[in-house]
Amino acid sequence: QAEETAVLKCIKNREDFCLKPIHAAAYMLDPKYAELFQNEVEDDDGDSGTAYFNPDMAGTQLQRAERIGDASLPDTFQTNELLYYERFKAYQDYMLGDCKTSEVKAFTADYLEKVLEPCDWQAQWCTDVFDVLVEVVDVNYKELKAHVKLVVPLQCETRGCELTEEAMNTLLEATLHKVPLQELRVVFDESGDFDQTALALEHLRFFYKHIWRQWDDEDEDDDFDYFVRCVEPRLRLFYDILEDRVPAGLVAEYYSLLARCSQKFQEFSSLRNGISSDSESELDNVSMVEGLRMYEQMEALKRKLRIIENPLLRYVLGYKVNSGQQSCRAKGPRASGGRMVHVVSVSTTVSQLQSLMADKLGPKFSGEEFEVQFHSEPLLAVSACYEGDVVIILPGQYNVTSSISIPDSISVEGFGLPDEVVIEKKNKGDSFVESTGVDVKISNVKFIQHDAIEGILCVRQGKLEMENCVLQCETTGVIVRTSAHLTMNMCDLYGSKGAGVEIYPGSVCSMMGNGIHHCKEGILIKDFADELDTMPKITMVNNVIHNNEGYGVILVKPKFISFAETLQSQQLGNNCHFVVIESMSIMLRVDVDAPVIVVDECSVKEPVSYASCSVVLPEFTEGNDAIKRELVATSAKKQRRQKSRLKELGVTQADDNLLSQEMFVSIQDNQFRRNGMGSFGTFLY
């Protein structure tokens, strides 16, 4: 309770931290951080920068970093796994404060002078070529260097070279026995006397590796707080990338921009240093023109970097471009007019090829317009597709490391049962499968997701038809974006930490004979407050939605609805009159203020799901009517809001065809079993 109180008090006093809940929870659960919070609360007005740990506590508060491989060198402190808040606190309160860009080095030197042990401590001098044990004799804080001497006998680990004690002494003499503080890692000591020294060097090392930029010294906004302008957004971006909250495409673009900007700055600096200030030669004039051009290019790159570093601009301007919507464009038909069958297999047997020819290639793709191409990975096959191509995946386990984007109208099918054709995404990142093609088909494939920002499958636009697939989620399930169309038949989806299927306004979603289970919620239907948002068109027939933590189906809608409007909606939902018309379709007509809604019941005489083998009790199917009533009532509310808005604008006679939001809904024979909160519910926001 004392730890929790300290955490809450700290957050309350420092709202600008934007502390992530997961980090706060980590502090509350781990007792070793209690003193850190307690010291901060008690010494908040102090500026010594030394209140990391309670000095009265005996022993180190840091973990040991054990070396892997050669054990000739001693262990060091484990300091590179600090949390966001720990680094934020160190830079804002102790190291940088409210300094300007031109004052960064002076503030850093002052900070190090307060917390570093001045001498008599051992460290590893770590470079790209060697790690060697040295003893620190003195520290030059302004130069950010330490005066060291070699520990004898020589203790070192080399990479691709031989290093003797004599050679190392020669090297130290050449550097006047001064080495950069960033290259020193303090040797582990259980006494706790060198904890602050190890932490200070880690903050210094991290700052110049991940925060500081070569061009910051020349920043024109030197009058503004460097921490607020540069440190905080770059630190937040680093941890967002580390914790996989930034799309992989945007991360790659950021590091590419950073490398290009660094190279351009070096070229610009070299060119500028070569120009004489009092020269009027033609060569120098040309160099100045070239320098101006390079400066403009560098400024353009810096602006792009600032957009990505800013959390709001990163989402508004950067995320939409790099989240897959424009990452892969459709190729269209081949110029030759032909079509390709892409066969995917790591290795295959003669009997498998014979079976493939007899059952698939021969009967369906024997025409002259088809050619066959072989691939070892599904991602390579999909990337090579043009419109109308077919991808056939032979049985096997296929691992992919990036998203599978399908921008063209193609067909992807597994040659066998779903459990035999498995595609597994190993690393974290964006959505696993992303479909934007006009007409895409996927069948007989099992997808295994380990982590993704946007889900195991995202239908951004176009139409996707899935049949007989297995979707093993770990974070998020299937997402059907506005204007997208998903047909999902005879599939099995499970394991999502969110909703198994998320249906956005304006989308079309048809699900028949699926199993959706062991998710946070089964199906989530989003109904946004804006009356311009159209209701989704939903078909749900013979699905078995069971063992989900929350509701089987949940509708998300706004809560600012008047009592009278709610009462009207309930009356509408409870007094629906159905009239049978041709093709098993049913028309629901309501009063003049309500829209015309077609409830299109599919003529399925027998259930197509695995639940059809037994008689279904009414208690497992009663959710169907509740879902239909709620969707009908919600659509009626939107209709009334639209007419009210038009009246406010002076439109007294409106075309009902323009106003009506026809919602084709088929919700029939779905089974709801053992869902934690029931078959159907609503979430008001």
Side-chain angles (χ1 to χ4, degrees), residues 531-597:
E531 56 267 18
L532 299 179
D533 290 325
T534 58
M535 288 292 291
K537 299 178 181 179
I538 303 172
T539 300
M540 286 175 54
V541 178
N542 294 313
N543 300 284
V544 180
I545 305 172
H546 65 96
N547 290 99
N548 296 290
E549 184 179 339
Y551 291 101
V553 177
I554 184 169
L555 176 66
V556 179
K557 63 179 184 178
K559 62 182 177 182
F560 43 87
I561 299 174
S562 65
F563 175 77
E565 192 174 14
T566 303
L567 182 61
Q568 292 174 0
S569 301
Q570 291 175 349
Q571 291 173 348
L572 172 64
N574 294 325
N575 297 320
C576 299
H577 300 283
F578 295 89
V579 180
V580 179
I581 61 174
E582 59 182 351
S583 301
M584 297 292 292
S585 294
I586 298 175
M587 178 72 74
L588 169 64
R589 294 194 180 276
V590 295
D591 59 86
V592 294
D593 290 332
V596 176
I597 303 173

Side-chain angles (χ1 to χ4, degrees), residues 24-320:
Y27 279 106
M28 286 189 288
L29 293 175
D30 196 335
K32 73 179 183 181
Y33 294 113
E35 290 299 329
L36 185 148
F37 279 101
Q38 190 65 36
N39 287 339
E40 181 186 1
V41 173
E42 295 174 354
D43 302 333
D44 192 50
D45 295 331
D47 59 353
S48 65
T50 59
Y52 282 102
F53 301 103
N54 189 339
D56 297 331
M57 293 183 63
T60 179
Q61 301 297 300
L62 299 176
Q63 300 296 319
R64 179 195 297 264
E66 298 181 358
R67 291 189 63 84
I68 300 175
D70 189 356
S72 61
L73 287 170
D75 296 334
T76 57
F77 286 99
Q78 176 63 270
T79 57
N80 59 355
E81 295 182 358
L82 299 179
L83 300 177
Y84 168 83
Y85 177 74
E86 292 177 274
R87 298 193 192 277
F88 188 106
K89 172 178 178 290
Y91 293 137
Q92 186 188 55
D93 291 356
Y94 304 141
M95 182 170 169
L96 300 175
D98 57 354
C99 72
K100 303 175 183 178
T101 306
S102 58
E103 300 172 331
V104 166
K105 291 184 179 179
F107 272 62
T108 301
D110 183 62
Y111 160 72
L112 294 175
E113 189 173 1
K114 292 178 180 179
V115 297
L116 281 189
E117 290 292 332
C119 60
D120 300 330
W121 48 277
Q122 291 187 347
Q124 290 181 22
W125 179 19
C126 301
T127 68
D128 295 334
V129 180
F130 59 81
D131 297 345
V132 63
L133 185 64
V134 296
E135 181 178 343
V136 175
V137 178
D138 191 17
V139 177
N140 188 323
Y141 302 103
K142 292 184 178 180
E143 294 183 2
L144 302 182
K145 289 186 177 182
H147 187 276
V148 302
K149 67 179 181 179
L150 190 65
V151 174
V152 291
L154 177 68
Q155 300 180 49
C156 71
E157 180 179 319
T158 60
R159 289 173 283 277
C161 68
E162 294 291 335
L163 189 63
T164 64
E165 184 176 324
E166 182 181 357
M168 180 49 94
N169 279 320
T170 303
L171 176 61
L172 286 173
E173 289 176 3
T175 61
L176 301 178
H177 287 263
K178 293 182 179 180
V179 300
L181 287 173
Q182 303 172 47
E183 297 179 0
L184 294 180
R185 296 186 181 274
V186 183
V187 171
F188 183 77
D189 188 295
E190 294 183 352
S191 68
D193 295 339
F194 302 104
D195 284 14
Q196 294 188 42
T197 298
L199 280 172
L201 292 182
E202 169 61 29
H203 292 313
L204 178 71
R205 185 163 43 246
F206 183 91
F207 175 77
Y208 279 102
K209 183 177 181 180
H210 299 290
I211 305 298
W212 180 258
R213 306 287 183 249
Q214 295 173 311
W215 50 87
D216 283 353
D217 266 335
E218 303 179 3
D219 198 334
E220 295 178 356
D221 297 328
D222 190 50
D223 292 336
F224 297 95
D225 189 337
Y226 178 74
F227 178 87
V228 174
R229 286 189 304 107
C230 299
V231 178
E232 182 179 5
R234 291 171 185 172
L235 182 63
R236 186 184 301 278
L237 176 62
F238 175 86
Y239 275 90
D240 284 347
I241 293 174
L242 184 67
E243 297 167 8
D244 298 296
R245 288 194 293 269
V246 182
L250 192 58
V251 174
E253 180 179 352
Y254 178 74
Y255 286 124
S256 175
L257 287 170
L258 199 58
R260 287 162 54 194
C261 195
S262 297
Q263 181 182 359
K264 191 66 65 177
F265 178 79
Q266 292 175 1
E267 294 174 358
F268 174 76
S269 299
S270 299
L271 182 65
R272 180 178 55 185
N273 295 335
I275 299 177
S276 176
S277 59
D278 56 352
S279 174
E280 297 181 358
S281 66
E282 183 178 351
L283 182 61
D284 281 345
N285 290 336
V286 173
S287 297
M288 291 180 66
V289 174
E290 177 66 15
L292 289 174
R293 186 183 66 83
M294 293 174 62
Y295 178 80
E296 291 177 355
Q297 293 175 347
M298 189 173 63
E299 288 299 310
L301 293 172
K302 288 162 64 176
R303 282 194 297 271
K304 292 181 180 179
L305 287 172
R306 284 194 293 268
I307 288 175
I308 300 177
E309 290 168 353
N310 184 289
L312 179 61
L313 296 179
R314 174 163 73 240
Y315 179 81
V316 174
L317 301 178
Y319 181 79
K320 292 184 177 180

Side-chain angles (χ1 to χ4, degrees), residues 390-603:
V390 178
V391 178
I392 299 176
I393 307 175
L394 297 184
Q397 178 89 18
Y398 303 91
N399 297 324
V400 298
T401 57
S402 59
S403 300
I404 300 176
S405 296
I406 308 178
D408 287 283
S409 298
I410 65 172
S411 175
V412 180
E413 55 182 292
F415 185 64
L417 298 175
D419 287 335
E420 299 173 342
V421 183
V422 180
I423 303 177
E424 183 173 1
K425 191 168 189 285
K426 288 292 187 180
N427 63 335
K428 300 180 181 181
D430 306 336
S431 56
F432 188 170
V433 181
E434 190 173 86
S435 177
T436 56
V438 176
D439 190 4
V440 179
K441 297 181 180 179
I442 303 177
S443 60
N444 304 327
V445 180
K446 180 176 183 178
F447 296 96
I448 300 178
Q449 167 209 40
H450 287 291
D451 210 339
I453 296 174
E454 288 201 68
I456 194 168
L457 188 148
C458 182
V459 190
R460 292 198 175 276
Q461 59 189 40
K463 179 181 179 181
L464 172 64
E465 180 181 344
M466 296 192 71
E467 184 172 348
N468 198 33
C469 291
V470 176
L471 303 169
Q472 179 179 320
C473 312
E474 190 174 276
T475 51
T476 311
V478 175
I479 300 173
V480 191
R481 293 287 188 185
T482 301
S483 302
H485 188 162
L486 170 68
T487 300
M488 185 174 167
N489 299 333
M490 301 296 294
C491 295
D492 190 30
L493 186 153
Y494 58 92
S496 172
K497 290 183 175 66
V501 180
E502 287 188 13
I503 303 174
Y504 275 70
S507 63
V508 179
C509 188
S510 174
M511 294 179 288
M512 300 179 63
N514 303 287
I516 301 174
H517 55 98
H518 293 93
C519 301
K520 176 68 175 179
E521 309 284 352
I523 299 172
L524 186 147
I525 304 171
K526 293 194 174 183
D527 168 37
F528 296 140
D530 192 346
E531 56 267 18
L532 299 179
D533 290 325
T534 58
M535 288 292 291
K537 299 178 181 179
I538 303 172
T539 300
M540 286 175 54
V541 178
N542 294 313
N543 300 284
V544 180
I545 305 172
H546 65 96
N547 290 99
N548 296 290
E549 184 179 339
Y551 291 101
V553 177
I554 184 169
L555 176 66
V556 179
K557 63 179 184 178
K559 62 182 177 182
F560 43 87
I561 299 174
S562 65
F563 175 77
E565 192 174 14
T566 303
L567 182 61
Q568 292 174 0
S569 301
Q570 291 175 349
Q571 291 173 348
L572 172 64
N574 294 325
N575 297 320
C576 299
H577 300 283
F578 295 89
V579 180
V580 179
I581 61 174
E582 59 182 351
S583 301
M584 297 292 292
S585 294
I586 298 175
M587 178 72 74
L588 169 64
R589 294 194 180 276
V590 295
D591 59 86
V592 294
D593 290 332
V596 176
I597 303 173
V598 177
V599 183
D600 182 9
E601 299 285 346
C602 296
S603 56

